[in-house]
Amino acid sequence: MKLIKICAAVLTPLAMLLASPAWADSRQDAHRIGAFSGAMKYCIENDSDREGRYKMARLRAFKEVDDMSSRRKLDAIAARNLAYDRGRYLGRRLDRDHCRQLVKASEWRRFFN
């Protein structure tokens, strides 16, 4: 019984250390997708020429957020609201050109397949 407690005391922190990078990556991914969704909402209101593309990208990002765990959803929603309210995507001010670059960026092409 004592050996089991010792093993649990050693293995639990080790398991947490091994799992933390994946968890951090998933939180970063949730933040980026949420921020992208907020940026697309901001772009819809400020660049009506490409409104349809922004709406489609935002919808696809929303679907990806919808499949996330509760904690990751909260991170994505917070990032979405922050990006929209501030008019910034990952620290960079959103203007017409930046909005168009975001929709064309290779990392978001998966939304248009």
Side-chain angles (χ1 to χ4, degrees):
M1 190 62 141
K2 197 172 192 179
L3 181 61
I4 293 173
K5 288 182 181 179
I6 292 172
C7 288
V10 171
L11 292 178
T12 302
L14 181 61
M16 290 173 65
L17 282 174
L18 292 173
S20 64
W23 181 75
D25 287 345
S26 70
R27 287 195 67 195
Q28 283 180 335
D29 199 33
H31 178 82
R32 287 182 61 212
I33 292 168
F36 179 76
S37 178
M40 291 299 99
K41 184 177 179 183
Y42 183 87
C43 292
I44 287 168
E45 294 177 1
N46 294 292
D47 183 13
S48 59
D49 294 343
R50 305 251 169 118
E51 185 176 337
R53 287 191 64 137
Y54 299 136
K55 283 183 179 180
M56 185 177 7
R58 187 166 180 248
L59 178 64
R60 300 267 172 98
F62 173 77
K63 287 179 182 177
E64 198 164 323
V65 169
D66 197 40
D67 292 337
M68 293 179 182
S69 67
S70 298
R71 178 66 185 149
R72 289 182 66 212
K73 272 185 195 177
L74 291 175
D75 290 337
I77 290 168
R80 178 197 67 199
N81 293 342
L82 194 62
Y84 173 71
D85 292 341
R86 292 186 177 175
R88 295 185 167 276
Y89 175 69
L90 301 179
R92 185 172 167 201
R93 184 85 184 136
L94 289 166
D95 58 13
R96 184 177 170 193
D97 292 333
H98 190 218
C99 286
R100 290 179 181 196
Q101 287 174 359
L102 280 176
V103 176
K104 290 180 184 176
S106 61
E107 68 183 281
W108 300 111
R109 286 193 185 157
R110 64 185 170 171
F111 291 126
F112 299 107
N113 292 335

